[in-house]
Amino acid sequence: MFTAFLIKYAEIGVKGKNRYIFEERLVDQIRYALRRCDGQFKVHRTQGRIYVDAVTEFDYDETVAELKTVFGISGICPVVYVEDNGFEDLKKVVTNYMDAVYPDKNMTFKVVSRRARKNYPLESMDINAKIGETLLDAFPELRVDVHNPDVLLNIEIREKIYIYSIIIPGPGGMPVGTAGKAMLLLSGGIDSPVAGYMISKRGVVLDACYFHAPPYTSERAKQKVVDLAKLISRYTGPIRLHVINFTDIQLYIYEKCPHEELTIIMRRYMMKIAERIALESECIGLITGESIGQVASQTLQSMAVTNEVCTLPVYRPLIGFDKQDIVDISEKINTYETSILPYEDCCTTFVAKHPVTKPNLKVIKLHERNLEDRIDEMIEEALRTDEVIEIVY
Ligand code: ATP
Ligand code: MG
């Protein structure tokens, strides 16, 4: 019965004179998400509102599911719209609407009408009263509550007449593409896909990089990262995934540095390389899935030492999250099942039994001098052999 959706957005409503940029971006993102649906739609902005009109038959559930992936949408209202065939006809239409949408009439309601077209013969207050009366006559169980109704029945008189009362929550956030681009360090774990999702939710476009160490990490581990990137790209839009071969660097560090410092030194080189790729791809920040204290490399001391190699800001949206909070989001965005597949990432292969938890920057730098001979050349080689995979959901 629904033939359109009214799209509600929260924060972008308050962006002053930049508002239209946000709205246009949101319209683009809605069109992009809906290309995955069967039907055809016309997405348009009219008087400060965004509408998705179905032009053909469409699958309601599928369409709502896709709209729920568009950051910037706070609510999705399925709309019935009809031609204006006079007020008597409207009464019938609204009665049928209420009957179809609310089989159980034991509830309160309120009618709110708006006339975007002032030549309609009745005024809003009149419409509210008369439609309310009609509904009470048709369905004796219904009650009116003007302060806190169970159902707010909206009637908008435009060229056509729009009727809606359901609000399905959207994901919130800002439309992707309104806040620059950042480089996500994406591993196969639970955390980094969630971190990417969260930053993208604020409007940021993502690129990603994965440090692969064949044969210590398998093809399946790499495929898992590709799969995770694909799952989050349902929300974030296309992702350029850089797969960096990290084996030689890892082995070199393993050979030359104390094993309990391996993880921290390795992470410093990951960040350094990620930043190089970020700068080449116009990313203005790095993103990781770190959270304080989760593992040895995520103490404040360790993160201070890792951070020291970067000039770009490093965003860690999960920094204050408990593991369970992160798991909850990963389940919601459907990455959890993939994240827990047991293919090891490069960190687990080379982990020491007792990694340092309070590394000292001076000591780490001293030990990194053992790498002086070949590390620069190895970094260049890793960058040269960067494999780029374009991820599209
Ligand atoms: P995750 O669940 O995201 O794998 P984690 O709890 O396993 O995180 P670490 O292995 O210490 O934690 O990694 C911390 C962060 O460093 C990750 O969230 C990710 O952003 C980045 N990272 C770790 N390993 C890799 C890798 N092989 N390639 C790219 N980034 C990585
Ligand atoms: Mg990990």
Side-chain angles (χ1 to χ4, degrees), residues 96-328:
N96 292 340
Y97 173 94
M98 287 299 274
D99 205 20
V101 178
Y102 304 101
D104 177 8
K105 308 283 185 312
N106 185 14
M107 59 183 200
T108 60
F109 77 104
K110 173 186 178 177
V111 182
V112 179
S113 62
R114 264 177 296 265
R115 291 189 312 166
R117 177 157 65 78
K118 296 297 174 199
N119 66 359
Y120 196 76
L122 279 79
E123 291 196 15
S124 303
M125 295 300 276
D126 255 0
I127 302 173
N128 297 347
K130 293 203 161 103
I131 297 279
E133 216 170 282
T134 304
L135 292 173
L136 289 171
D137 285 346
F139 310 112
E141 284 163 270
L142 282 180
R143 282 153 292 131
V144 171
D145 182 343
V146 291
H147 300 296
N148 196 14
D150 298 328
V151 170
L152 197 63
L153 177 65
N154 292 277
I155 301 174
E156 286 183 17
I157 316 273
R158 298 171 180 266
E159 271 321 298
K160 293 186 178 180
I161 300 178
Y162 293 71
I163 302 161
Y164 61 92
S165 59
I166 300 170
I167 302 183
I168 302 161
M174 307 279 209
V176 173
T178 55
K181 182 161 72 165
M183 175 66 69
L184 170 65
L185 282 86
L186 182 61
S187 66
I190 296 170
D191 306 332
S192 43
V194 173
Y197 168 90
M198 286 178 64
I199 294 291
S200 177
K201 189 173 170 205
R202 299 305 301 169
V204 176
V205 173
L206 299 186
D207 275 359
C209 59
Y210 166 59
F211 295 89
H212 187 39
Y216 303 95
T217 54
S218 62
E219 270 310 294
R220 288 203 299 179
K222 172 177 154 189
Q223 186 57 44
K224 178 177 159 185
V225 173
V226 171
D227 293 345
L228 285 169
K230 189 153 183 180
L231 287 170
I232 59 168
S233 75
R234 182 174 186 195
Y235 300 89
T236 68
I239 296 175
R240 294 197 95 200
L241 172 65
H242 299 259
V243 179
I244 308 290
N245 190 317
F246 204 52
T247 312
D248 289 347
I249 293 176
Q250 241 177 346
L251 289 172
Y252 192 45
I253 301 172
Y254 195 70
E255 181 192 339
K256 299 280 186 188
C257 299
H259 286 182
E260 61 279 9
E261 289 171 4
L262 203 73
T263 305
I264 203 84
I265 294 175
M266 214 175 65
R267 292 197 51 74
R268 279 164 59 88
Y269 283 102
M270 277 190 191
M271 298 294 268
K272 208 178 259 185
I273 293 171
E275 179 169 80
R276 281 280 299 274
I277 308 169
L279 291 171
E280 281 164 20
S281 5
E282 290 170 346
C283 292
I284 50 180
L286 302 176
I287 307 163
T288 74
E290 288 158 309
S291 149
I292 298 170
Q294 206 185 76
V295 287
S297 59
Q298 296 178 22
T299 61
L300 288 186
Q301 292 87 346
S302 295
M303 285 188 288
V305 170
T306 332
N307 215 92
E308 194 264 348
V309 299
C310 299
T311 54
L312 282 178
V314 181
Y315 297 105
R316 300 177 172 91
L318 307 179
I319 199 67
F321 278 45
D322 293 345
K323 193 70 185 186
Q324 189 57 48
D325 302 335
I326 304 170
V327 166
D328 290 347

Side-chain angles (χ1 to χ4, degrees), residues 343-362:
Y343 319 128
E344 73 279 26
D345 57 33
C346 58
C347 301
T348 47
T349 308
F350 292 90
V351 204
K353 277 208 184 66
H354 301 288
V356 282
T357 53
K358 293 189 177 120
N360 176 307
L361 184 58
K362 283 203 186 106

